[in-house]
Amino acid sequence: MLPIPLQKTFTYTVTEAEATFLKKGMRVAVPFGKSKIYTALVFAIHQTPPDLYEAKDIHQILDEHPIVNEQQLKHWEWIAGYYMCSLGDVFRAALPSAFLLESETVIYKNEVFIADVELSDEAFLIVEALQYHSQLTIHQVSDILDKKKVLPIIDELLQKNAVYIKEEIYETYKPKLVKYIRLSAKYSSEESLQVLLDELTRSKKQREAILHYFQLAGNKKPIKVKDLEDRAAVSSAVIKALVDKEIFEFYYVQTDRVSFGGTTNNIKALNEHQEQAYNEIKTSFEKYEVTLLHGVTGSGKTEIYVKLIKEVLATGKQVLFLLPEIALTTQIITRLQNYFGNQISVFHSKYSMNERVEVWNNVIENKPKAQIILGARSSLFLPFSNLGMIVVDEEHESSYKQYDPAPRYNARDAAVVLAYQHKAKLLLGSATPSIESYYNAMQQKYGFVALQRRFGNIQLPKIELIDIKEKYRKKEMKGHFSDRLLQMITEALNEKEQVILFQNRRGYSPVVECTTCGTSPQCPNCDVSLTYHKFRKELKCHYCHYQRAMPHSCGACGSSTLDTKGFGTEQIELELKELFPEHSIGRMDLDTTRGKYGYQKIIGAFEAQEIDILVGTQMLSKGLDFENVSLVGILNADSMLNFPDFRAHERAYQLMVQVSGRAGRSKKQGNVVIQTYNPYHQILQQVSANQYTEMYKEQLQDRWQFHYPPYYRIIRITLKHKDYTRVDTGIHWLAKALQNSFGEHVMGPTEPSVSRIRNQYIKNLTLKIPPKQSLGKTKEQIQKIKNAFESIKDFRAIRFIVDVDAY
Ligand code: ADP
Ligand code: ZN
Ligand code: ZN
């Protein structure tokens, strides 16, 4: 299996000796094409030569043991089949990239590259190619440019800081070694030791070191050199002298970079409602593969997970705990580490390649520290051998779905299959379940358990809707704040309580507009207005990271009447600083949380109550638990509701309920203020009355009427290319071909709301698959049409993307 998007596997020859050594799931370096070398995975060992080509010899075997097991290969095959991508795509996505090295120079995109630096055409092509491939080899570069001598172009890219280069050889992964110390074997008897100590009477320091060594050795744990030095208060020279005398010797043990230092605590006793939910889950596990736990925010779902996890661990099985966005959930990591300490490994996209390799190896060896894996969607690909339970927390979250690149999978759904393979139980948890999961539960496909009360019997927050149209009319607005919201903030601050404010856009304002001619600055690469970031006086594109200085005058008419429209988190933060100069204001959005510990810093500061008011985007909605927050404000609910997507209302409901759920979690009932132009919107009514089931029923009716999931399935096909007419011709050809097979169930062609991104024009076709139509046959037909499409010369360069369950 090669890590490339080709449907088939390839056959290579090995010697007899290699054949006896080689096992399925080991990596081998193989030549491919004229001069490439890939890391491939052994998928089958057989004696049938290929018909169509002469099998080449492998270069070398890279592993001593398989690093991928049969269960994984089965799961990968399911993903490739279901989501219509190649096994190679899954292979590439599944393995930490350190496992996929090639013996060639590799270039990487420099993430902080400023997009408006002038590049030659060829260099630009490569930067563009790097948007889709995280890295390119020199050979690939020369393929893309269709020329041999590409080094000058690489040179240019390097000089302009657009890429960086790393010379990589096999296995750059270096385990971190820790230096330990032990007594030489010849001093193992007591007599010899006594002699030794007598000999050392004159060097007091060395004697000290030895005596402290024995104290430490009492713990029966390996002794780190560092610990001995600290304990005996001696320098490393003293220890070194003892080693030179062959009294001590050093030895090394591989340790993991990522380890937990604290002690573990007992799990909390559940209250009666949690206990009941817990028992219902256990009963449900006997009957169903999958169980949905619908527990309101703050009901204490985590503590229930903890108790279940503990039991699974006791049976000697592993647990996978999936979280929507790992960086946002540092709190939950800490909570679980408190209970399970070193039995937890975290698989983190912000961890380095090496750290990820470590977790992989720990899981494959089923090490004690890999009994619970906490991770985002890609931790689904780890080499589990005996999973007992998978928990998918906040199962409604859209970040479980990977949109780009392939495999375009939904981790929650792929987890169902993984659990099934391992005969493990799957628990989905949410305060606002996705319509699909709730539907499956109501259809009794999944078990269902509800937990309606907050822990400590605290009431769910009181939600107030504020009509800002009225407020503007009566001149009761200050900036973007209604007098009511300001009053509530002031009261909360007076009580020394904290406030969370939610605004779904970052930056200062999403649109800059000339009041004379109405023009607004657009991104040169995408069909979208640039967002104004006041702090840096810059205009930025949130799609391609293009940025430029804020102009002083209109690019179209020259007048200096530029105005901003709409508002983002940055603007709210600035208004608050003026309104509440005595208080500290924090902001949490993509711009303030870069770097490995970006989130932790802000969340930590808010927990420590160094921040009084925290403004943020939807990041704030993800399972955070702050004790002292009594008020949540949603500044503008309408932008969420007026979104052209069949899930917009469901998502708006989830987002608002989740954000509201951050208020009043531990002491008393919290307050929520939602500002809107349309307080009678049914979703807002449902949010304020906490009517999940009403929302569900209404949405379900719409889904049925307009042919959407969970009744109809959706496959979306997207074409992308630089040349508008080519995409347009392609999509019309495709629409016809699909209509021939599927008739009225083909929707489109349509353009997405941003119809050009990074200079690629985008067009969509959506296929709705009625309940009785076979999904397998439909996909086969799509594949046939895709093959026909790609055999047309004019269409070959068009990117053809199939997204199954594209929502
Ligand atoms: P959810 O995940 O359902 O929103 P949490 O698990 O975060 O809720 O629980 C909300 C709060 O209640 C947390 O601060 C948690 O520590 C506390 N809590 C929940 N269950 C218990 C329990 N059984 N004993 C003590 N505290 C609990
Ligand atoms: Zn103008
Ligand atoms: Zn752009």
Side-chain angles (χ1 to χ4, degrees):
M1 182 192 306
L2 270 67
I4 51 178
L6 288 175
Q7 286 302 340
K8 16 175 217 193
T9 52
F10 296 86
T11 298
Y12 287 84
T13 52
V14 290
T15 64
E16 240 181 275
E18 283 168 334
T20 48
F21 181 79
L22 213 53
K23 292 196 188 71
K24 197 170 165 179
M26 286 186 189
R27 289 172 305 152
V28 288
V30 298
F32 188 76
K34 279 201 194 79
S35 54
K36 285 181 209 147
I37 295 170
Y38 278 117
T39 297
L41 197 71
V42 179
F43 188 65
I45 302 167
H46 62 87
Q47 292 185 307
T48 321
D51 298 335
L52 298 173
Y53 57 95
E54 183 85 21
K56 292 181 188 167
D57 293 337
I58 65 161
H59 271 212
Q60 66 183 113
I61 300 174
L62 298 173
D63 291 312
E64 285 180 19
H65 307 284
I67 60 154
V68 170
N69 64 36
E70 295 271 352
Q71 299 263 35
Q72 284 173 286
L73 291 175
K74 248 172 69 189
H75 192 228
W76 294 3
E77 282 183 284
W78 179 83
I79 289 184
Y82 187 86
Y83 293 105
M84 296 187 72
C85 63
S86 73
L87 260 180
D89 284 328
V90 189
F91 174 36
R92 189 174 273 290
L95 262 63
S97 49
F99 277 146
L100 290 171
L101 298 180
E102 292 147 20
S103 65
E104 301 175 22
T105 311
V106 177
I107 61 169
Y108 297 84
K109 184 175 77 173
N110 185 1
E111 294 297 343
V112 293
F113 171 57
I114 317 283
D116 56 359
V117 171
E118 281 285 328
L119 290 174
S120 71
D121 289 353
E122 286 176 318
F124 182 76
L125 260 177
I126 299 309
V127 170
E128 231 188 16
L130 281 168
Q131 314 282 16
Y132 301 108
H133 310 270
S134 55
Q135 56 188 59
L136 290 173
T137 65
I138 304 298
H139 291 295
Q140 286 170 311
V141 170
S142 93
D143 283 353
I144 290 169
L145 300 177
D146 197 19
K147 67 195 261 185
K148 283 247 152 62
K149 293 183 182 160
V150 295
L151 285 182
I153 296 152
I154 306 288
D155 227 5
E156 179 194 343
L157 288 165
L158 279 170
Q159 282 189 14
K160 292 181 177 162
N161 258 326
V163 302
Y164 65 96
I165 252 179
K166 238 184 346 198
E167 200 69 46
E168 285 186 312
I169 39 154
Y170 295 120
E171 298 299 335
T172 50
Y173 167 63
K174 287 197 192 62
K176 192 172 139 197
L177 293 175
V178 170
K179 200 169 172 183
Y180 290 97
I181 193 159
R182 64 186 165 212
L183 209 60
S184 295
K186 53 181 161 181
Y187 295 107
S188 56
S189 75
E190 250 178 65
E191 301 91 86
S192 54
L193 255 175
Q194 199 49 53
V195 176
L196 174 65
L197 288 170
D198 292 343
E199 272 173 25
L200 288 176
T201 40
R202 276 190 303 130
S203 49
K204 200 162 153 268
K205 288 257 158 103
Q206 295 185 4
R207 242 180 98 96
E208 278 295 291
I210 294 174
L211 290 173
H212 277 100
Y213 171 85
F214 281 107
Q215 280 183 11
L216 285 170
N219 298 337
K220 300 210 179 344
K221 278 193 193 148
I223 297 168
K224 288 184 194 159
V225 176
K226 188 83 188 38
D227 289 349
L228 181 57
E229 286 172 14
D230 292 350
R231 189 66 176 258
V234 297
S235 67
S236 52
V238 175
I239 306 285
K240 175 97 181 355
L242 286 165
V243 171
D244 289 345
K245 285 187 187 167
E246 295 186 357
I247 296 168
F248 279 141
E249 60 193 21
F250 291 140
Y251 67 106
Y252 294 86
V253 175
Q254 180 179 329
T255 69
D256 290 339
R257 290 170 180 76
V258 202
S259 73
F260 167 77
T263 49
T264 56
N265 297 315
N266 287 333
I267 69 175
K268 291 187 173 125
L270 302 182
N271 70 16
E272 57 175 310
H273 306 291
Q274 287 172 313
E275 192 67 38
Q276 193 188 340
Y278 163 83
N279 284 325
E280 285 175 25
I281 293 171
K282 301 271 290 181
T283 314
S284 170
F285 275 177
E286 284 163 21
K287 203 167 152 205
Y288 298 99
E289 304 290 333
V290 185
T291 297
L292 173 64
L293 170 62
H294 179 199
V296 298
T297 56
S299 57
K301 293 185 286 296
T302 316
E303 306 301 327
I304 299 177
Y305 301 151
V306 165
K307 190 160 179 191
L308 290 163
I309 291 171
K310 196 149 183 128
E311 281 182 1
V312 175
L313 293 187
T315 67
K317 298 203 164 200
Q318 298 162 306
V319 173
L320 171 61
F321 193 109
L322 287 177
L323 294 163
E325 268 165 89
I326 191 88
L328 295 178
T329 21
T330 54
Q331 277 192 334
I332 221 166
I333 297 172
T334 318
R335 271 170 82 178
L336 292 183
Q337 275 179 339
N338 268 325
Y339 297 128
F340 299 109
N342 264 329
Q343 286 176 294
I344 298 187
S345 287
V346 180
F347 197 67
H348 199 302
S349 61
K350 283 195 176 182
Y351 281 178
S352 68
M353 275 190 335
N354 290 348
E355 287 166 324
R356 275 183 276 167
V357 165
E358 247 161 28
V359 175
W360 186 285
N361 287 335
N362 290 341
V363 174
I364 205 160
E365 289 164 31
N366 199 1
K367 291 249 181 83
K369 68 190 83 174
Q371 296 311 298
I372 307 172
I373 301 297
L374 230 104
R377 58 175 185 246
S378 64
S379 43
L380 205 67
F381 293 119
L382 286 164
F384 299 104
S385 47
N386 66 341
L387 267 178
M389 180 170 72
I390 306 177
V391 177
V392 182
D393 194 20
E394 312 288 358
E395 67 84 29
H396 63 279
E397 275 282 341
S398 59
S399 46
Y400 282 123
K401 163 82 180 171
Q402 169 150 320
Y403 291 99
D404 217 27
R408 297 178 173 79
Y409 65 105
N410 185 315
R412 176 196 63 208
D413 301 339
V416 175
V417 178
L418 187 66
Y420 189 76
Q421 274 184 12
H422 283 264
K423 300 194 169 45
K425 295 299 162 192
L426 179 64
L427 181 61
L428 306 175
S430 175
T432 53
S434 63
I435 301 281
E436 294 78 45
S437 295
Y438 201 82
Y439 178 76
N440 281 331
M442 294 302 110
Q443 297 293 302
Q444 313 223 337
K445 246 178 93 185
Y446 296 172
F448 180 71
V449 176
L451 185 56
Q452 300 286 8
R453 262 182 236 234
R454 280 197 149 182
F455 181 76
N457 268 332
I458 296 162
Q459 300 267 298
L460 282 169
K462 197 162 134 254
I463 299 179
E464 214 176 303
L465 297 170
I466 306 287
D467 183 347
I468 46 177
K469 194 155 72 234
E470 272 296 296
K471 292 282 176 189
Y472 273 115
R473 199 176 56 76
K474 294 191 190 149
K475 304 218 171 357
E476 288 170 349
M477 293 290 287
K478 235 186 222 165
H480 294 93
F481 293 89
S482 59
D483 54 351
R484 177 71 183 148
L485 179 53
L486 284 179
Q487 179 203 346
M488 302 278 283
I489 296 175
T490 312
E491 280 171 16
L493 294 176
N494 287 343
E495 296 287 315
K496 303 268 179 282
E497 293 158 351
Q498 290 168 292
V499 178
I500 285 180
L501 296 175
F502 172 79
Q503 169 57 17
N504 213 12
R505 272 180 178 279
R506 66 192 165 98
Y508 184 84
S509 74
V511 182
V512 173
E513 200 183 74
C514 168
T515 53
T516 307
C517 77
T519 304
S520 38
Q522 301 285 308
C523 174
N525 311 318
C526 312
D527 263 347
V528 71
S529 302
L530 295 169
T531 298
Y532 178 41
H533 288 244
K534 189 165 184 167
F535 179 68
R536 291 178 179 274
K537 298 196 172 43
E538 266 171 356
L539 293 175
K540 287 189 193 174
C541 171
H542 288 179
Y543 288 85
C544 73
H545 309 303
Y546 167 87
Q547 56 197 54
R548 54 176 278 204
M550 172 77 175
H552 297 291
S553 56
C554 170
C557 74
S559 107
S560 57
T561 56
L562 289 177
D563 199 6
T564 57
K565 269 175 69 178
F567 63 103
T569 44
E570 193 190 4
Q571 190 167 157
I572 295 304
E573 184 193 11
L574 291 175
E575 286 184 13
L576 283 167
K577 282 184 172 157
E578 288 199 2
L579 290 163
F580 300 96
E582 315 281 276
H583 289 90
S584 71
I585 319 290
R587 169 153 66 96
M588 185 156 116
D589 57 28
L590 259 186
D591 298 315
T592 61
T593 53
R594 301 200 194 279
K596 186 166 171 180
Y597 299 106
Y599 305 94
Q600 265 123 308
K601 279 189 204 145
I602 295 175
I603 291 171
F606 196 56
E607 267 176 344
Q609 304 190 25
E610 289 160 18
I611 295 173
D612 301 316
I613 308 178
L614 184 61
V615 187
T617 56
Q618 89 283 351
M619 282 180 186
L620 288 174
S621 68
K622 319 224 165 166
L624 294 169
D625 184 33
F626 300 110
E627 250 184 1
N628 194 40
V629 174
S630 66
L631 174 67
V632 166
I634 296 176
L635 285 148
N636 180 349
D638 307 277
S639 61
M640 284 176 265
L641 293 166
N642 310 326
F643 202 77
D645 181 282
F646 77 92
R647 304 191 66 146
H649 286 180
E650 177 192 353
R651 290 236 183 279
Y653 180 91
Q654 288 161 341
L655 201 51
M656 283 188 267
V657 169
Q658 292 285 351
V659 179
S660 304
R662 304 310 115 205
R665 288 171 73 84
S666 69
K667 289 180 220 142
K668 54 169 199 188
Q669 187 183 23
N671 288 300
V672 177
V673 173
I674 302 180
Q675 300 191 144
T676 171
Y677 284 94
N678 187 4
Y680 299 104
H681 195 291
Q682 95 266 20
I683 286 289
L684 293 176
Q685 293 293 328
Q686 287 155 356
V687 169
S688 62
N690 187 33
Q691 294 171 320
Y692 177 86
T693 35
E694 281 74 1
M695 184 283 292
Y696 166 75
K697 281 184 195 143
E698 216 169 272
Q699 293 304 312
L700 211 54
Q701 259 173 17
D702 283 358
R703 303 285 179 90
W704 175 250
Q705 190 178 350
F706 299 109
H707 298 178
Y708 281 112
Y711 301 107
Y712 281 59
R713 288 174 170 275
I714 287 186
I715 296 181
R716 190 174 56 221
I717 299 174
T718 301
L719 299 185
K720 285 189 189 178
H721 194 266
K722 283 177 80 134
D723 176 358
Y724 179 84
T725 24
R726 205 179 284 202
V727 182
D728 199 52
T729 324
I731 204 83
H732 282 102
W733 184 98
L734 196 60
K736 237 192 217 125
L738 286 168
Q739 275 152 8
N740 278 340
S741 304
F742 305 109
E744 66 191 25
H745 296 303
V746 183
M747 310 288 131
T750 54
E751 284 184 355
S753 54
V754 179
S755 61
R756 184 180 53 124
I757 296 178
R758 301 179 208 277
N759 284 317
Q760 302 268 330
Y761 290 93
I762 307 168
K763 291 203 180 252
N764 290 329
L765 283 164
T766 305
L767 188 61
K768 289 185 176 171
I769 304 166
K772 290 212 179 88
Q773 186 174 319
S774 148
L775 192 59
K777 293 225 172 75
T778 307
K779 287 181 196 162
E780 268 171 39
Q781 187 59 20
I782 294 175
Q783 189 61 46
K784 270 190 209 149
I785 294 172
K786 179 170 187 256
N787 293 345
F789 182 91
E790 282 169 348
S791 68
I792 296 170
K793 195 163 148 278
D794 257 8
F795 295 163
R796 213 163 287 163
I798 299 178
R799 241 161 66 89
F800 191 118
I801 296 164
V802 185
D803 192 343
V804 178
D805 297 344
Y807 50 84

